[in-house]
Amino acid sequence: MIHEKAPAKINLTLDVLGKRPDGYHEVEMIMTTVDLYDRLTIEGAKGGKIVIKSSDRYVPDDRRNLVYQAADLLRRRTGIRDGVTFTLDKRIPVAAGLAGGSSDAAAALRGLNRFWKLGLSLDELAELGAEIGSDVPFCVYGGTAFATGRGEQIRHLPAPPNCWVILAKPDIGVSTADIYGRFDLSRARHPDIGAMEAALHAGDYGGVCRNLGNVLEPVTMDMHKEVAMLKDGMERFGADAVLMSGSGPTVFGLVSQEARVARIVNGLNGFCPEVHAVRMLGGPHSARLD
């Protein structure tokens, strides 16, 4: 039996540069992991089956699940025929802009690499992960990174200054395809990714807060007023800086003083069903639970 953590990620910056010939969008992002994570347990299964058991009834247990796709891809590439059972304890909200599904797939790749004693490097696992989803390579490594291409080209960065992160997900679903479909490049206000990178290298918390930016945020807020209300509320309750992660709808706030955390969480609990107070992980995560 093997155990793996699958941490959530947040986008400190997200920029879209245009549409690629392959239909994906060219992006530039700085992402970092936080200590809200799913737990993945891996065991053998009879008959060569891939079995997925999840604590969340909304998570599919078939080929639609990225964990299933990760196991299927790894078996095809390595010639393994053994069956495997995944038990997924979901803590990351589903369809939240926190890369929960991608992180689960990355955890499956890392865990199966150990379970089947394949001896693959993280770089090799990340290369496989790029075939499953754009965020999977980053999630294989964890930590903090600058991601380009469609998100699969990774350059590692220093961890952000340590702080609290308040995550709040409104009770709505957001389609990433719809958000990108409504994105207008000519109206985008591009984040200063160079300034964010400089702030990370300098360990400058104020610089990190000043340079948060996500070009998809106005699109999602225009479609879902709840996201704008949540960001406004988090700012009023005293977060140092607030941004939507990914294509949403989760909004996160950075907080340096622990004394303010409870006030913000209590204020948000009044109108947001899912609120989490977590810490930055920043550096490459410790994936194992065993």
Side-chain angles (χ1 to χ4, degrees), residues 148-278:
T148 56
R150 56 182 175 86
E152 84 287 6
Q153 299 171 29
I154 303 297
R155 175 165 55 82
H156 301 288
L157 293 172
N162 199 18
C163 66
W164 287 90
V165 182
I166 312 296
L167 301 168
K169 179 186 178 292
D171 192 19
I172 58 172
V174 170
S175 164
T176 298
D178 284 350
I179 300 303
Y180 273 98
R182 295 189 183 214
F183 173 71
D184 183 352
L185 183 61
S186 67
R187 300 176 60 187
R189 294 183 60 185
H190 301 282
D192 190 341
I193 292 179
M196 176 60 77
E197 188 168 340
L200 292 173
H201 280 285
D204 177 6
Y205 177 72
V208 170
C209 290
R210 288 191 299 273
N211 290 291
L212 293 179
N214 182 345
V215 295
L216 298 180
E217 185 182 74
V219 183
T220 305
M221 285 184 174
D222 188 54
M223 294 174 64
H224 301 281
K225 302 304 181 187
E226 300 94 330
V227 177
M229 291 173 58
L230 194 52
K231 181 175 182 178
D232 179 67
M234 200 176 289
E235 289 172 341
R236 285 189 291 105
F237 294 137
D240 296 323
V242 183
L243 189 71
M244 184 187 79
S245 185
S247 57
T250 299
V251 173
F252 69 88
L254 304 184
V255 185
S256 60
Q257 296 181 3
E258 186 174 359
R260 278 188 280 148
V261 172
R263 184 177 71 195
I264 296 170
V265 169
N266 291 337
L268 294 174
N269 276 330
F271 61 94
C272 184
E274 288 197 71
V275 183
H276 304 270
V278 300

Side-chain angles (χ1 to χ4, degrees), residues 3-256:
H3 305 281
E4 286 279 334
K5 291 180 181 178
K9 66 85 183 167
I10 56 174
N11 291 87
L12 301 179
T13 63
L14 192 162
D15 199 5
V16 179
L17 307 183
K19 202 162 188 180
R20 297 154 47 111
D22 60 9
Y24 290 96
H25 284 80
E26 188 77 17
V27 296
E28 291 185 345
M29 305 181 289
I30 293 179
M31 298 182 284
T32 192
T33 45
V34 297
D35 69 349
L36 173 68
Y37 51 83
D38 296 340
R39 298 169 184 261
L40 190 67
T41 301
I42 302 173
E43 304 172 88
K46 296 180 179 179
K49 294 181 179 179
I50 299 173
V51 180
I52 297 178
K53 303 174 182 179
S54 174
S55 62
D56 190 318
R57 62 190 178 93
Y58 294 108
V59 173
D61 60 3
D62 53 22
R63 290 184 177 275
R64 293 171 295 167
N65 192 301
L66 296 186
V67 169
Y68 189 109
Q69 294 176 33
D72 184 53
L73 177 62
L74 198 55
R75 290 204 308 187
R76 286 188 280 111
R77 293 300 168 83
T78 61
I80 295 285
R81 296 186 177 182
D82 297 353
V84 61
T85 297
F86 297 100
T87 303
L88 182 58
D89 180 11
K90 286 294 292 180
R91 306 287 180 87
I92 303 172
V94 176
L98 299 174
S102 295
S103 193
D104 294 341
L109 290 173
R110 291 191 308 267
L112 288 174
N113 188 42
R114 291 196 287 136
F115 189 66
W116 289 332
K117 297 179 172 61
L118 299 175
L120 299 175
S121 68
L122 285 182
D123 290 343
E124 290 171 311
L125 295 176
E127 188 173 341
L128 285 170
E131 300 182 37
I132 303 166
S134 298
D135 283 338
V136 178
F138 167 76
C139 293
V140 165
Y141 298 110
T144 305
F146 175 57
T148 56
R150 56 182 175 86
E152 84 287 6
Q153 299 171 29
I154 303 297
R155 175 165 55 82
H156 301 288
L157 293 172
N162 199 18
C163 66
W164 287 90
V165 182
I166 312 296
L167 301 168
K169 179 186 178 292
D171 192 19
I172 58 172
V174 170
S175 164
T176 298
D178 284 350
I179 300 303
Y180 273 98
R182 295 189 183 214
F183 173 71
D184 183 352
L185 183 61
S186 67
R187 300 176 60 187
R189 294 183 60 185
H190 301 282
D192 190 341
I193 292 179
M196 176 60 77
E197 188 168 340
L200 292 173
H201 280 285
D204 177 6
Y205 177 72
V208 170
C209 290
R210 288 191 299 273
N211 290 291
L212 293 179
N214 182 345
V215 295
L216 298 180
E217 185 182 74
V219 183
T220 305
M221 285 184 174
D222 188 54
M223 294 174 64
H224 301 281
K225 302 304 181 187
E226 300 94 330
V227 177
M229 291 173 58
L230 194 52
K231 181 175 182 178
D232 179 67
M234 200 176 289
E235 289 172 341
R236 285 189 291 105
F237 294 137
D240 296 323
V242 183
L243 189 71
M244 184 187 79
S245 185
S247 57
T250 299
V251 173
F252 69 88
L254 304 184
V255 185
S256 60

